[in-house]
Each structure stands twice: as structure tokens, then as C-alpha cells.
Amino acid sequence: MDEQELRSLFSAAPGDEPSAGFTQEDVVRESRRQTLRRRNRITAGVSAAALVVVGFGAYGLLSGGTPGLTSAKDNAAVSAQSGQPGLGPARPQVGGESPNFSSTPPQQGGSGDGKTGQLAEGASGCEQVDGELAIALAGELPGHVAAAQASPGSACTTASRSAGFPVPGGEVAAAVYPKGIPVAFKSQPAGTVTAQVATTSGGTLVLVSVPGAENAAPYAGDVDRFARELAPRF
């Protein structure tokens, strides 16, 4: 081999080895980083699995594991299908009455509280208005008079059925005395106009027109006619 060939071989040989781009500390640091990442992934996976298990356990307790809740749900479903109220304070107890209803039936003309109301058909005395007489008298009086505005009136007595209405200028009242009962009612103010007519049942109908202060008796000229038209109804 001549000198030329040796020179060619030396020129073709690789040069010096390049210096490393990282140190031993870099290798250790990267290893620790990778180890920490693996630990974090494992911890996250375990936590997720634990949450799933806890969730399924809670669902099981709420859906069917608690007897009290299941019983309440079944009772509500049965009550909804049958149209009856569920168990509670508003439902009547067996063998008793519901506290929401009164055990005393309202009387005729009453307000539902067990006391006799103002209007009662066939009522006698000065504390109740006879409903039948009030309706009949309201139909005879001019204008719009409602039976609900009636009062016992000035012609009432203990034995008679009575009804009266306030009208412009005073009051018009009627009383029906049963057969065999004499007519006797309290004295009336000056200027009062009175009419008495026998009823169909053999009693007496009294109609009075009582004037207000410094007024003439209202419908004074119609008192007799009112009485004659009312009497045949009683």
C-alpha cells in the first residue's frame, strides 16, 4: 500500500465523537417525571372506580333498599289510582268523622253554623223572617226589592209570621196570624196606614205602612190593594 492510499484511508475515517446533548441529571429528572405521571394516572383511575361504586350503592338505597320510602311511594300510587286521599290529617279516620266537616246539619235558612238564619219558611215571632211572606210582599212592592233585604217588620208578634222591607219614606210590613189567634201588635207611629184582610186558611193578614221621620206613609193609597192580593196566598 503506498502513501497515497494510506492518506485516503485516514481521510475517510470518522472524526471525533460529538459531545452528548444531555447530562446524567437530565436523565434522572426525566425518569422521576415519568414515574410521577404513572402514579397520578393510577390514583385517578382508583378514585373514579370508587366514585362509581359509591354512586351505584346510593342509587340502590334510594330506589328499593329503604322499606319506608318504598311503602310511601306505593301508598301514593294506590291513592292516585283509587281517587281517595292518602294517609294524612285530612283523611277521615275509621269509625269517626273528619274534622273538616260539621256533624250538625244546617237548619232551614241557616248559614251552616247550626243557628237558624234570618229567612225561614213558616217561621213565627219577631226574630225570624218568614221566607214565603217576604217573597210575596217583595213581588207586590214597586221597584226592585230583594227578599234578602227583609226584616221581621213592625207588625210582627210572637204568634204571627212576618216580613217587612225598608222603602223610600218609611217601611212596609205584613204579618199573617193563624186561625183563632187575635190580631195584636205593638203600637205604630202617627200616620201609619193599616189594612186587615182574612186569609184563605181562616187567619188574618195585616199590612202596615209606617212613615219615616216627617214623611207620609209610603204607598198609603196601595196598602188595601197589597193586603187583598197577599191574603189569598195564606
Side-chain angles (χ1 to χ4, degrees):
M1 177 178 299
D2 57 13
E3 183 179 353
Q4 184 66 30
E5 291 178 350
L6 288 175
R7 189 178 294 113
S8 298
L9 289 175
F10 280 114
S11 61
D16 296 335
E17 181 181 356
S19 58
F22 54 89
T23 63
Q24 182 178 0
E25 293 181 358
D26 294 334
V27 174
V28 173
R29 189 182 300 109
E30 182 64 22
S31 177
R32 291 178 179 175
R33 187 182 296 112
Q34 294 297 332
T35 302
L36 182 60
R37 287 181 181 177
R38 285 194 297 271
R39 289 179 180 176
N40 291 338
R41 289 185 188 134
I42 293 173
T43 302
V46 172
S47 300
L51 289 176
V52 171
V53 171
V54 172
F56 275 110
Y59 175 78
L61 289 175
L62 293 177
S63 61
T66 304
L69 294 178
T70 303
S71 177
K73 189 196 312 181
D74 294 342
N75 289 336
V78 172
S79 299
Q81 293 176 359
S82 61
Q84 297 181 354
L87 296 176
R91 185 172 184 174
Q93 298 179 358
V94 178
E97 295 184 0
S98 171
N100 297 329
F101 298 93
S102 173
S103 59
T104 304
Q107 301 181 12
Q108 182 178 8
S111 59
D113 56 1
K115 299 181 180 179
T116 304
Q118 185 183 13
L119 292 176
E121 186 175 347
S124 299
C126 292
E127 295 181 355
Q128 296 175 331
V129 177
D130 182 72
E132 182 181 4
L133 182 57
I135 294 174
L137 180 58
E140 296 297 331
L141 295 176
H144 298 284
V145 179
Q149 299 174 333
S151 64
S154 300
C156 71
T157 62
T158 303
S160 68
R161 301 162 59 182
S162 60
F165 291 95
V167 295
E171 178 195 56
V172 175
V176 175
Y177 291 80
K179 182 179 179 179
I181 301 298
V183 175
F185 53 90
K186 62 184 179 180
S187 61
Q188 303 296 322
T192 299
V193 178
T194 305
Q196 296 185 23
V197 180
T199 64
T200 303
S201 61
T204 305
L205 182 140
V206 177
L207 189 71
V208 297
S209 174
V210 183
E214 299 180 358
N215 290 319
Y219 310 119
D222 297 321
V223 171
D224 288 336
R225 178 174 63 84
F226 291 160
R228 289 193 303 270
E229 292 182 355
L230 290 173
R233 307 182 190 182
F234 299 93

